[in-house]
Amino acid sequence: MINMVLLMLLLASVYAIIRLDRLLTAVLLTSLFSVLVASIFMVLDAVDVAFTEAAVGAGVSTIFFLAALAIVGRQCKPTPRRKIIAPLIVVSATGCVLLYASLDMPRFGEPLAPVHQHVAPRYLNDSAAEVGPPNIVTSVLASYRGYDTFGEVGVVFTAFIGVLMLLGAGTRRTSIEPPTPTGAPKESMRKKVVLKEVADLVIAPVLIFALYVQWHGDFGPGGGFQAGVIFASGIFLYALIYGIEPAQRLLPPRRLAYFPAIGLLLYAAVGIISMLRGGNFLNYSVLVNDPLHGQHYGILAIELGVGITVAAVMINIFFSFSERSL
Amino acid sequence: MALLLDIVSWITLMIGSFFCITAGVGLLRMPDVYTRAHAGGMIDSMGAGMIFFGLLLQAPDYLIAIKLVFTFFFLLVTSLASIHALAQTVNVAGVNPKLANIVNRLEKNRQKESPPSN
């Protein structure tokens, strides 16, 4: 029942996104889409994924879309009819293939499905003895699948470099300083009394919650990815309310640009250290004498690396967007 | 005691749902931005507040109750502040409330009508 309602809302929001030519409304509807998808994940008991979807899809990516809209404008150009046909064919063909493939999929919740047969029983039964954390998602993500997560952090880092290249960060840094007439900021500050009070009230709990999500990821839903995004959104709030310059004074962009690499290197360093101590790359059991303790320290360290990379990437991208739109 | 709690929480949940539905109708039917903002604020303050109170009475232990209180606090503060920011921005952009126009027109009409009568 609740699945059907969520699915209908999902379809309705997708239809609205496709039909709208006002981009601002479309962006807000994509945020709604992410919230709905997060609710569906929640119904499916995938708490970690729902958390990530809510934080990244509904929160941060909406802010990035809005920042991009500030550069490119709010209206989309009407597409000529003849340009529609080829994409329509491609999309329909892909959709048909996917529908055809879904016929072969096992029934929902089928215990004999391949995903429940391969490695899942081992994760469920042995992860407490082999890795330790009560949250099995964390032990799969950080320890069993440590290579994959390392790759993901690498992807985030690479995407960050790509965005910086596209936005041309660093080339316009000198041009942003002068243009502030002295009267204007004071005027806009005066109007934001309520927002400032609310921001003062909210920012510190947001940052603390980010740290909680970071360090509590072993026990509950959460981890480096979500924590990084939440931390970054606290900084975004500060920058949106108080202006970009105080935020850049707090976190100088030039120094902040090193942090994505630092997080990734921290992750890699854990792997290297475990190799030096005689294990495989990213095998945390050899880090200290007790394998379980080693797993625990290793997971904490790599989650910290993930969190640093994600938070720094998000804040950097936000800063470079706002430099462009000035 | 449990029955009483159930009854009270049912009543508050129903009141909260009622506020949510009426506010949804208001969001669609109200004439201008300000009144629609009021309807939107109603969802977050009264609707969500009543529903959270109803859920609070159903909370099995104090940890969940505290989490609910925190969630409601943040929802209240952030969403009402964002509605305030919206209305403020619209006001700064120079949109007048429609109701104010109606009031102005009524007053003008009265002034027009009153001088001849004097």
Side-chain angles (χ1 to χ4, degrees), chain B residues 49-118:
Chain B
M50 282 295 169
I51 289 176
F52 269 108
F53 188 70
L55 292 178
L56 201 57
L57 295 178
Q58 293 288 334
D61 59 28
Y62 73 97
L63 196 61
I64 291 176
I66 291 174
K67 282 179 187 170
L68 275 173
V69 170
F70 269 110
T71 317
F72 175 57
F73 173 72
F74 278 108
L75 187 71
L76 195 68
V77 167
T78 52
S79 66
L80 291 187
S82 65
I83 288 169
H84 160 82
L86 178 72
Q88 185 85 327
T89 316
V90 172
N91 192 19
V92 170
V95 179
N96 280 325
K98 275 197 177 155
L99 286 176
N101 292 345
I102 294 172
V103 171
N104 285 344
R105 216 183 305 145
L106 286 179
E107 279 183 359
K108 266 180 202 164
N109 287 345
R110 203 176 301 144
Q111 281 167 2
K112 262 183 217 163
E113 284 165 10
S114 49
S117 71
N118 286 345

Side-chain angles (χ1 to χ4, degrees), chain A residues 1-317:
Chain A
M1 175 66 194
I2 195 165
N3 273 327
M4 289 317 283
V5 172
L6 286 173
L7 204 61
M8 303 258 260
L9 286 172
L10 211 57
L11 282 178
S13 64
V14 168
Y15 184 73
I17 292 169
I18 295 171
R19 296 297 298 177
L20 278 172
D21 57 351
R22 275 179 300 176
L23 292 177
L24 191 65
T25 326
V27 165
L28 294 179
L29 279 173
T30 50
S31 172
L32 172 70
F33 179 85
S34 295
V35 172
L36 289 171
V37 172
S39 317
I40 290 177
F41 285 140
M42 199 66 214
V43 172
L44 293 175
D45 259 353
V47 194
D48 287 80
V49 190
F51 199 176
T52 315
E53 179 64 34
V56 178
V60 169
S61 63
T62 309
I63 296 178
F64 286 157
F65 276 133
L66 291 177
L69 282 193
I71 298 177
V72 300
R74 292 183 182 181
Q75 286 288 332
C76 75
K77 288 180 197 150
T79 323
R81 282 266 161 196
R82 58 191 166 72
K83 279 196 180 173
I84 294 179
I85 297 169
L88 187 69
I89 293 171
V90 172
V91 168
S92 322
T94 317
C96 288
V97 170
L98 287 177
L99 276 180
Y100 178 67
S102 77
L103 292 179
D104 257 356
M105 271 171 62
R107 209 163 45 80
F108 176 69
E110 173 75 48
L112 295 176
V115 274
H116 302 309
Q117 295 294 314
H118 181 46
V119 285
R122 180 176 164 202
Y123 292 160
L124 291 177
N125 293 327
D126 303 342
S127 80
E130 285 179 351
V131 183
N135 184 6
I136 296 172
V137 176
T138 301
S139 48
V140 172
L141 179 136
S143 187
Y144 289 117
R145 294 276 161 201
Y147 284 19
D148 297 2
T149 312
F150 186 57
E152 281 170 33
V153 181
V155 167
V156 170
F157 182 72
T158 317
F160 161 66
I161 292 174
V163 170
L164 279 198
M165 302 282 253
L166 279 175
L167 288 174
T171 52
R172 299 165 63 99
R173 201 149 279 164
T174 49
S175 68
I176 60 156
E177 286 155 20
T180 37
T182 46
K186 226 177 239 174
E187 184 72 8
S188 65
M189 285 293 183
R190 190 176 55 77
K191 283 173 194 149
K192 285 198 249 173
V193 178
V194 174
L195 285 184
K196 272 182 144 180
E197 289 296 325
V198 169
D200 287 349
L201 197 65
V202 168
I203 288 174
V206 167
L207 296 183
I208 291 174
F209 181 64
L211 293 178
Y212 166 79
V213 171
Q214 172 81 51
W215 302 120
H216 202 256
D218 300 5
F219 303 99
F225 287 100
Q226 294 95 329
V229 170
I230 293 170
F231 192 86
S233 59
I235 304 291
F236 293 172
L237 185 60
Y238 181 75
L240 286 174
I241 302 293
Y242 285 90
I244 202 78
E245 280 168 22
Q248 288 191 336
R249 230 174 293 138
L250 182 70
L251 301 165
R254 222 165 260 275
R255 248 172 274 165
L256 193 66
Y258 291 112
F259 275 85
I262 288 178
L264 190 60
L265 288 176
L266 177 61
Y267 199 141
V270 174
I272 300 290
I273 291 172
S274 58
M275 276 166 80
L276 287 180
R277 291 187 62 95
N280 288 330
F281 186 63
L282 292 177
N283 178 9
Y284 316 128
S285 296
V286 296
L287 284 178
V288 287
N289 290 331
D290 183 14
L292 272 184
H293 283 187
Q295 289 284 349
H296 197 193
Y297 293 140
I299 288 175
L300 280 182
I302 66 126
E303 291 274 16
L304 181 64
V306 173
I308 289 175
T309 300
V310 171
V313 163
M314 297 297 165
I315 298 169
N316 264 311
I317 293 177

